[in-house]
């Protein structure tokens, strides 16, 4: 007599599976070194190769606290 098949495992919730995706390699347009900083990756220029005029403006805004937190 054979044992019954075990119940199949449920599918993982979206965004919780453990498969890792590799980030694409982004290199500097001028010196061709790999970039790791998000700002540098977006501009495709490393911090040493970028002019001050090519910097991304960052704005810090005050946010209201989340209800029930704090």
């Amino acid at each position: 007599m054979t044992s019954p098949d075990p119940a199949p495992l449920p599918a993982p919730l979206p965004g919780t599976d453990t498969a890792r995706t590799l980030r694409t390699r982004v290199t500097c347009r001028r010196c061709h070194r790999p970039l790791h900083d998000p700002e540098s990756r977006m501009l495709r220029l490393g911090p040493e190769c970028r002019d001050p005029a090519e910097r991304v403006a960052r704005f810090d805004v005050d946010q209201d606290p989340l209800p029930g937190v704090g």
Side-chain angles (χ1 to χ4, degrees), residues 1 8 20 26 37 46 48 51 53-56 61-62 64:
M1 180 167 200
R20 288 187 56 134
V26 178
D37 178 46
E48 298 85 12
D51 296 328
E54 294 172 325
R55 295 188 192 274
V56 173
V61 294
D62 292 328
D64 295 332

Side-chain angles (χ1 to χ4, degrees), residues 3 5 28 30 40 43 47 59 62 68:
S3 62
D5 291 333
C28 179
R30 293 190 181 146
S40 299
L43 294 173
F59 299 100
D62 292 328

